[in-house]
Amino acid sequence: MVMPPHPLRVHRRRLGLSQEELAAATGLSVRSIQSLESGRNRAPRSSTVRLLADALGLAGADRERFTRAMTGDDDEPARDDAPPRPAQLPAELPDFTGREEVADRLAAALRPGARPVVVSISGMAGVGKTSLALHVAHRVRGHYPDGQLYIDLRRAGRAEPYRAAGFFLRALGTPAGAVPTDAEERAALLRSVLAERSVLVLVDDVEHARDVLPLLPGAGPVGLLLTSRKPLPSLPVTLAVDLDLFSAEESVRLLAGVAGTDRAVADPTAAAEVVDACGRLPLAVRLAAVRLAARPAWSMRDLADRLAASDRRLHELGGTEQAVRASFDLSYQALPPHLAEAFRQLAWPRLGEISVDTVAAACDVDAAIAAGIAEDLVDARLLLSPRPGRYRYHDLVRLFAQERSRAADPPEVAARLVRRLVDGYRKTAVAALQTIEELPSPPFRDAAAATGWLTAEGQLIVAAVCLAAELTADVDAEACADLARALGPHLRATGEWDEWQRLADAVRQVAVRDGNRPAALLAGMQLGHLAILRNDYALAGSHLAAATDLARALGDRAAEARTLNLIGLLRFTEASPRPAIVAHRAALALFETLGHTAGVVNSRINLAKCLATQGRGAEGLAVLDEARRLLPPGPEVASVMLRHQTARCLFALRRYADAIEEHEACLELTRRHGLREGSAYVLAELGLTLLAAGQPDTARARLALAVSEFERLGDGNAADTYRVVLGLAQRALGDLEGARRNWRQAIRF
């Protein structure tokens, strides 16, 4: 007698599925499918039958007939003798917001298959790991018919993975008396129970990979979703996601979703300020929104203003159980003592980023140990690392660290930290200046390396000196002056004039407090130079007159010569070339008397500039020839200045082709070294030369770039000066309206 085909085979073939494809769709093994179709397995579990019916798309009467046929009972429905089907997932947030792309990736990765799937979500405290995990778990729970398990490993009484394994076994139907007491036996039994179940397991807040090892399934269609503050690279993870902060748009959506769209729409500026104050940390944004929602009389502006005060921000975001503080505190309490101390101390410099050098100076360790400290704090999710070797605090984490420092550290800790920062940077900054102006000095191989270091560390150095000025600490004014001496010219050349202003003001404050006249002299010279660049000629004259008197009182003839050069620059900028020439010749004579080669070269370059402006190009070239002879190898900044003034002298002699060639070579050098102010002036003079050479179209392009760069630098006087020349180029091209527009703007008419 020929037996009819098994109903499973009939429906599988009806859909055109192979045994392998059906196994993949259900999460069962191919051997299980073969065993059912051959009749060797005559009593499949009801959960297995449900899984097959779902995969085959059976419903209604067809499903009922299939179920009876599979269980061998055509008269009665299948017996449901399956073990308990736990449903332990906590509810997800009703207003879950954002993370759409990440949630899709996680849900796709958690589709069950023949083998276990392990997915992890990591990120700093408060970034929304648990909220995302619950959202995704609820999305995919229908794919796991045997239930969902959940545990938070940080909760009291459940911290040990041994106890967690027992919790899972009992939830899956293992009698309490049958749960082994031996840890390895308990883990082995859990693997056995999970091997034939299609279960979703969510393990929240894993601290160490070892904590989750006893919970890992060995086989079967199990989905394991983990959250942790740091990545877990030693686990067999199918997909690992490291969460970043919310975008500004996601943050505002969350704020509006919880607090009410009307208030967010009514004042979008205040809404943006609120999420910025929260550092776009989802937990903080949610707490701020809940606080606002509970206070109908408050506007969005009221909340923004309350959060603006950094010293009360964590209090304003307190919420239930001081949620933000508590979230950070879990990570902090897990730190060993030396990392906890570093975490507190590094938070005091108010910086966007810190470097390995900062860590080394603040912690008084060498660079290798400093790098290890920083990376350990990144692993603990208490520091962020935007790029290799650079680190920063989230704003709220910094406030938390400063709170911990005030509670744990004596008041002199901050002063000691600032002293170490200033002293630590001083030695390297002096070496950088020596490398740029004279010869390579360790640790720098050339001027480019020294300039790169000043670029990377500039803001950190400014912050350290500003802290020295704010604190009544015994910080060496001379050390602060050395930092300004090294960094000031770099900040000028790169157009970071606001930072230079902060630095010079802070040095002057420290110098006055300590009665250090040489430091005060340096600050006065730099402040005078800044005033010239900002077109405040009266203030510049006041600073430079005081600096000249102080240099003479101290008998510092080199400083007097530098001040005379700055006075020459002031007179030149005021369009007084004759007094400028007098000042530069006086500076040159002093430097020659002192045998100060760099000063002689700089004075000659300044003098040639003034001569070229007066149309005395041949005299200017002669002055520059002597400067070129004296110029030592290495300092390319001086070389840039020399070539630029050479081009100006050639222009004065109407040797336009030669001048254009010099300008083009000079422009390449300024761009290579990041000299924004130098690039702007070279572009402007190149445009002027091209216009004189009968090339107005090319001149217009160069001049437009120069004007734009001067505006970005904040040098309105230079921008207006060359806007007039840009108008001339436009007029030469027939663009009279464009020319008038630039001329009107130049005279502010």
Side-chain angles (χ1 to χ4, degrees), residues 424-562:
Y425 275 123
R426 179 190 193 181
K427 180 179 179 181
T428 312
V430 169
L433 182 62
Q434 290 173 343
T435 301
I436 291 170
E437 291 189 343
E438 299 171 15
L439 295 171
S441 179
F444 303 110
R445 64 183 180 278
D446 53 30
T451 301
W453 183 84
L454 289 172
T455 299
E457 303 298 320
Q459 287 190 340
L460 304 172
I461 293 171
V462 173
V465 177
C466 288
L467 279 169
E470 291 175 22
L471 297 171
T472 56
D474 182 21
V475 178
D476 187 355
E478 186 177 343
C480 293
D482 282 344
L483 288 172
R485 187 176 291 108
L487 185 60
H490 176 76
L491 294 175
R492 181 234 168 146
T494 54
E496 297 174 82
W497 296 350
D498 289 342
E499 288 296 288
W500 189 16
Q501 184 81 47
R502 291 177 62 219
L503 177 63
D505 282 335
V507 172
R508 181 174 61 174
Q509 187 175 339
V510 174
V512 170
R513 184 181 67 207
D514 294 358
N516 189 305
R517 294 199 298 168
L521 169 59
L522 176 81
M525 291 168 61
Q526 294 200 351
L527 289 168
H529 198 166
L530 270 161
I532 295 171
L533 296 175
R534 296 187 186 280
N535 306 316
D536 191 340
Y537 303 140
L539 180 61
S542 174
H543 279 307
L544 295 176
T548 303
D549 290 342
L550 188 52
R552 288 170 178 164
L554 292 170
D556 189 340
R557 303 194 72 194
E560 182 184 350
R562 292 189 186 95

Side-chain angles (χ1 to χ4, degrees), residues 650-661 688-690 692-694:
L650 291 169
F651 175 85
L653 293 170
R654 300 187 181 184
R655 292 168 54 184
Y656 300 136
D658 293 336
I660 290 170
E661 184 179 347
L688 181 62
T689 307
L690 288 164

Side-chain angles (χ1 to χ4, degrees), residues 100-156:
E100 290 88 355
E101 187 271 336
V102 175
D104 289 344
R105 287 169 55 207
L106 290 166
L110 277 170
R111 292 295 295 267
R115 297 179 178 178
V117 177
V118 181
V119 172
S120 71
I121 303 172
S122 59
M124 68 177 290
V127 82
K129 302 180 294 295
T130 299
S131 298
L132 175 61
L134 286 171
H135 175 71
V136 171
H138 279 280
R139 275 181 60 174
V140 304
R141 64 179 181 174
H143 298 301
Y144 294 92
D146 292 331
Q148 310 96 44
L149 299 170
Y150 171 83
I151 195 166
D152 182 346
L153 286 185
R154 283 188 184 263
R155 293 291 182 187

Side-chain angles (χ1 to χ4, degrees), residues 1 11 37 133 168 195 218 323 452 478 517 530 557 569 631 656 700:
M1 178 178 178
H11 286 291
E37 291 189 355
F168 283 170
E478 186 177 343
R517 294 199 298 168
L530 270 161
R557 303 194 72 194
L569 175 62
L631 186 67
Y656 300 136
R700 178 177 59 180

Side-chain angles (χ1 to χ4, degrees), residues 241-316:
V241 170
D242 193 57
L243 290 188
D244 201 351
L245 301 170
F246 263 178
S247 67
E249 188 270 336
E250 286 175 318
S251 300
V252 172
R253 266 200 289 147
L254 175 58
L255 179 67
V258 177
T261 304
D262 291 347
R263 282 193 275 189
V265 171
D267 196 342
T269 300
E273 290 175 17
V274 168
V275 300
D276 284 346
C278 295
R280 296 187 285 112
L281 187 71
L283 173 62
V285 174
R286 179 175 294 281
L287 288 171
V290 168
R291 188 166 174 80
L292 184 60
R295 292 160 176 79
W298 283 16
S299 67
M300 190 66 73
R301 170 53 55 195
D302 292 328
L303 179 61
D305 290 344
R306 294 179 75 92
L307 292 175
S310 62
D311 58 338
R312 286 187 51 80
R313 192 171 302 161
L314 288 178
H315 174 76
E316 293 291 339

Side-chain angles (χ1 to χ4, degrees), residues 6 8-40 52 55-56 114:
H6 194 279
L8 178 58
R9 180 175 297 173
V10 171
H11 286 291
R12 176 175 62 77
R13 288 181 172 177
R14 173 179 59 82
L15 295 176
L17 297 174
S18 67
Q19 290 179 334
E20 290 78 8
E21 289 170 331
L22 182 58
T26 59
L28 301 173
S29 66
V30 175
R31 181 177 296 178
S32 296
I33 301 294
Q34 293 171 342
S35 179
L36 287 166
E37 291 189 355
S38 67
R40 292 194 301 273
L52 290 166
L56 295 169

